[in-house]
Amino acid sequence: MKALNLFPLTIAQDIIVIDEHERTILINEIEKMQSTNKKTNKSIYAWTGDTKGYEFIFSNNIFKNLSKQISTSIIKYLELFEINTDLLDIFYQRSWATYTNNEENINFHTHSQSNISFAYYLLKPNNSGGIIFRSNELQNEIAKNIFTSSKIDKSLINKPNAYNSDKSVFDLEQDGIIIFPSKTPHATMPNKSGKPRISISGDVTIMLKDSKGFEHLMPNFKKWKKF
Ligand SMILES: [Fe+2]
């Protein structure tokens, strides 16, 4: 039998190349942010710069090369969907670092205020934890909750595969980037490496250069009228 898989969720993986000197400069900058505005209590959750006052790091010139390379990957991602990027203005709406110490993780969340999100692994020791994606709307769920992990424990489902899973983990290597629709629920696995993991995350907003004749995509902010 042949399976015809329709209406997928497309998550893209790419590699960003930076030299070790640049990596050291960026890591030092992020460690400075993290030590200036530390977590208030000892929690199991990672330090995330977006809620600590460091949500626009790409405004700092030292991230210029990195952000330029990430832009290229994001344009390639849009082109997977045959979107004509010539018609768009594309913005980094927010950009921040995450700093995950040993045993820490990030809970499931979405970035519902933007279109596309990404995570680039600036510092990624082995076993420092991958990213998990979850779907709340499983197209193949022929009976409610049939594809939860407990059904595997009870041997109703023989083994998880791409057609019957509500979660999927990607454990990228250092310098890998993962790009996904911002509305996709995601979390991170606990860091088990004994060393810190640093990622750079960001939210991207797309808008039409010229919205004439279009109904759905965001019109250009230059035409917006402030109260
Ligand atoms: Fe996130």
Side-chain angles (χ1 to χ4, degrees), residues 96 106 109-111 117 180 186 201:
W96 66 96
I106 298 170
H109 62 283
T110 61
H111 302 199
S117 298
F180 52 95
H186 58 285
S201 287

Side-chain angles (χ1 to χ4, degrees), residues 120-224:
Y120 159 71
Y121 296 98
L122 179 68
L123 184 67
K124 182 85 167 41
N126 285 341
N127 301 318
S128 60
I131 185 165
I132 321 167
F133 292 96
R134 187 181 72 196
S135 173
N136 296 332
E137 293 166 45
L138 297 175
Q139 306 266 40
N140 291 343
E141 195 181 51
I142 52 175
K144 198 69 193 158
N145 296 330
I146 197 173
F147 295 148
T148 59
S149 54
S150 65
K151 303 300 184 297
I152 295 168
D153 300 340
K154 289 177 182 158
S155 303
L156 177 65
I157 304 293
N158 291 324
K159 60 176 181 183
N161 66 19
Y163 307 155
N164 67 19
S165 298
D166 67 341
K167 293 187 194 74
S168 194
V169 182
F170 296 87
D171 196 5
L172 274 66
E173 303 213 322
Q174 183 163 289
D175 281 335
I177 182 172
I178 196 147
I179 305 170
F180 52 95
S182 300
K183 63 185 178 184
T184 316
H186 58 285
T188 66
M189 298 292 285
N191 181 351
K192 296 283 182 189
S193 68
K195 298 171 191 160
R197 176 185 75 220
I198 299 177
S199 73
I200 309 281
S201 287
D203 291 332
V204 172
T205 285
I206 60 175
M207 61 186 71
L208 290 157
K209 284 178 182 164
D210 179 0
S211 54
K212 193 176 173 191
F214 285 90
E215 187 179 0
H216 293 294
L217 193 54
M218 190 182 284
N220 204 285
F221 80 96
K222 288 174 191 158
K223 297 282 186 183
W224 297 4

Side-chain angles (χ1 to χ4, degrees), residues 34-53:
Q34 193 251 355
S35 60
T36 311
N37 195 339
K38 280 200 166 118
K39 293 196 300 183
T40 42
N41 54 355
K42 199 169 162 43
S43 78
I44 57 162
Y45 299 119
W47 183 92
T48 59
D50 56 332
T51 57
K52 298 288 186 298

